[in-house]
Amino acid sequence: MKILVINCGSSSLKFQLIDSESEQVICKGLCERIGIDGSRIVYTPEGKDKITVETPMPDHNKAIELVIEALTNKENGVVASLDEIGAVGHRIVHGGEKFTESVVINDEVIKAIEDVSDLAPLHNPANLIGIKACMNAMPGVPMVAVFDTAFHQTMPENAYLYGLHYSYYEKYGIRRYGFHGTSHSYVSKRAAEILGKDIKDLKLIVCHLGNGASVSAVKGGKCIDTSMGLTPLEGLIMGTRTGDIDPSVVEFIMKKENLSVAEVNNILNKKSGVFGLSNELSSDFRDLEDGYLSGNEGAKRAVDTFAYRVVKYIGAYTAAMGGVDAICFTAGVGENSGFTRKIIIDGLGFIGASLNEEANTVRGKEEIISNPDSKVTLMVVPTNEELAIARDTYALCK
Ligand code: ADP
């Protein structure tokens, strides 16, 4: 069966067509600047060069129309007709407490996703627009919702509660939910396969280090803690997000600089993280690595502070699980930057981590990067959220 995977943002739509048997990507692409001037679709059919079509895209319905045209057109298309697409899997950012696993989308599911939209006001409405646009374009094709939060729903109460008055949890569901769940789930399962062990017997820490970054503690295959919270702002220092911060900072900056809540929120989400710490040198770790090596103080400050926070979380999760068997690095930085991995791992002597520097030069490939005598296995496990979504979709629709 061919599965269309859709990841819909407010002005963008990423897609992949995946064959569920071979698990090969048949076509992948991106619609950019939906609803804005200068919109375009960029896609790569399997075995062909990248194709870019600049064309007006006033809304997501038009974007989906163009995706279907790209998949089916005579010249570069990859399927003869839409009938070949057996199901669609949608990435949904927030499933609240309602969704602990992926589900087939029906009216009730749509309503439930709408109901938790105030927990992810930028993401869930965009995800819903993507679902509705696909339903219009492909009536009768089954659709599945795969939630970023679902994998973390196994966290115990003492990990997901904030030290807030309990009534806020009861009234508004204010608690820690966690994100990147599809990636943490995929990487932890894959790590167990690579290690040749039953995941039930493993204590794993997954470091998803991309533009957005989070760590999770996976004990016996279940997430018992993760670093993101009510929103993806909590936890690690990220590309442009602060991660953990004293909440009083918000009021302090508001008063000092005469800013509104929205303006401070923008600072915490878009102007902070390694971008802010490096004095706006870059949020891209490739630039920061270059800067670090050429003696740029801001780059060094940003990367060292980022790495220290990762080390602290690894320490905390080792304590939470009563030990750790393997630490997995994934996503853009985790998969590709041996430089940043080494700075992190240099802080892990307390658990007997020993890095094999030659293996650590790996980029974007599965690899064990610890020495045989290391007390904890260190590994690079590239994530594949689209494949994980396609697998769940197939499992529910075959
Ligand atoms: P997201 O999906 O959250 O946007 P990604 O997982 O794609 O993020 O990761 C993006 C980050 O990965 C960027 O900061 C980028 O610099 C970093 N990255 C990608 N390739 C490399 C590399 N070769 N060396 C260092 N960092 C890299």
Side-chain angles (χ1 to χ4, degrees):
M1 185 190 283
K2 294 189 177 76
I3 312 274
L4 181 60
V5 175
I6 298 284
N7 181 354
C8 196
S10 54
S11 66
S12 71
L13 187 156
K14 290 186 203 150
F15 66 95
Q16 285 195 11
L17 189 67
I18 297 177
D19 185 307
S20 62
E21 267 158 51
S22 65
E23 299 201 327
Q24 291 302 309
V25 177
I26 306 165
C27 182
K28 69 181 205 180
L30 164 70
C31 299
E32 289 176 300
R33 300 179 64 85
I34 301 169
I36 312 172
D37 281 351
S39 48
R40 59 188 194 156
I41 176 169
V42 184
Y43 63 101
T44 315
E46 191 186 13
K48 294 199 175 153
D49 290 338
K50 192 187 272 186
I51 297 163
T52 302
V53 183
E54 310 234 347
T55 175
M57 251 178 256
D59 57 28
H60 289 75
N61 284 316
K62 184 67 190 173
I64 287 291
E65 223 178 82
L66 288 162
V67 170
I68 291 171
E69 150 64 19
L71 296 174
T72 55
N73 82 59
K74 290 234 156 39
E75 210 179 324
N76 298 303
V78 288
V79 292
S81 85
L82 263 192
D83 298 343
E84 286 186 41
I85 299 176
V88 183
H90 292 269
R91 176 193 181 200
I92 309 294
V93 167
H94 219 306
E97 290 187 320
K98 171 124 182 131
F99 297 105
T100 55
E101 54 192 19
S102 304
V103 288
V104 175
I105 297 173
N106 56 25
D107 290 347
E108 197 189 319
V109 169
I110 290 180
K111 166 87 174 50
I113 297 171
E114 276 165 3
D115 287 346
V116 292
S117 278
D118 59 345
L119 293 173
L122 297 178
H123 295 101
N124 273 28
N127 300 157
L128 282 162
I129 289 171
I131 292 175
K132 287 175 184 163
C134 285
M135 284 178 155
N136 283 338
M138 291 178 262
V141 176
M143 315 242 165
V144 167
V146 180
F147 300 91
D148 263 20
T149 48
F151 181 63
H152 303 305
Q153 277 296 307
T154 48
M155 279 194 284
E157 189 181 60
N158 60 4
Y160 72 66
L161 283 181
Y162 288 116
L164 266 176
H165 195 289
Y166 193 62
S167 60
Y168 293 115
Y169 168 63
E170 292 178 306
K171 277 196 285 189
Y172 309 121
I174 297 179
R175 50 159 282 178
R176 307 182 58 257
Y177 289 94
F179 298 87
H180 294 140
T182 312
S183 174
H184 288 286
S185 166
Y186 174 88
V187 170
S188 54
K189 288 193 183 83
R190 189 68 204 123
E193 283 169 12
I194 295 167
L195 294 169
K197 299 239 170 84
D198 188 337
I199 196 162
K200 292 209 167 63
D201 301 327
L202 287 172
K203 294 169 182 164
L204 302 170
I205 293 177
V206 178
C207 304
H208 177 110
L209 310 178
N211 235 331
S214 63
V215 190
S216 66
V218 182
K219 190 177 182 185
K222 291 201 159 69
C223 175
I224 63 144
D225 208 344
T226 193
S227 59
M228 284 178 165
L230 176 75
T231 74
L233 185 56
E234 189 180 341
L236 297 181
I237 291 169
M238 310 183 210
T240 60
R241 292 177 229 158
T242 54
D244 297 334
I245 195 169
D246 181 340
S248 308
V249 170
V250 173
E251 190 196 359
F252 197 89
I253 300 180
M254 280 174 76
K255 283 189 176 154
K256 288 282 180 200
E257 306 229 327
N258 198 18
L259 299 177
S260 65
V261 171
E263 285 167 326
V264 179
N265 249 332
N266 190 50
I267 290 170
L268 302 186
N269 279 288
K270 305 258 173 74
K271 305 275 182 215
S272 304
V274 289
F275 173 75
L277 278 168
S278 67
N279 255 335
E280 306 194 5
L281 176 69
S282 180
S283 64
D284 190 309
F285 275 75
R286 281 165 288 207
D287 302 332
L288 294 169
E289 195 173 313
D290 290 346
Y292 199 120
L293 291 169
S294 61
N296 181 294
E297 273 180 33
K300 180 169 180 348
R301 177 171 58 232
V303 176
D304 286 346
T305 312
F306 168 86
Y308 178 67
R309 181 78 54 91
V310 179
V311 170
K312 280 214 293 193
Y313 267 96
I314 291 173
Y317 290 171
T318 303
M321 293 194 291
V324 57
D325 297 305
I327 300 172
C328 314
F329 292 89
T330 196
V333 180
E335 290 168 24
N336 295 300
S337 177
F339 182 83
T340 307
R341 284 194 301 258
K342 176 170 163 44
I343 297 174
I344 295 167
I345 293 162
D346 281 349
L348 298 178
F350 75 102
I351 42 171
S354 164
L355 179 68
N356 178 332
E357 304 230 0
E358 199 184 319
N360 189 41
T361 56
V362 70
R363 281 184 198 279
K365 265 193 357 205
E366 291 177 353
E367 186 81 53
I368 307 258
I369 57 167
S370 46
N371 285 312
D373 64 348
S374 181
K375 295 228 163 52
V376 52
T377 305
L378 306 168
M379 51 207 300
V380 172
V381 183
T383 193
N384 194 338
E385 288 163 285
E386 291 77 14
L387 178 58
I389 293 172
R391 281 180 181 167
D392 273 16
T393 304
Y394 179 66
L396 288 167
C397 298
K398 65 184 172 193

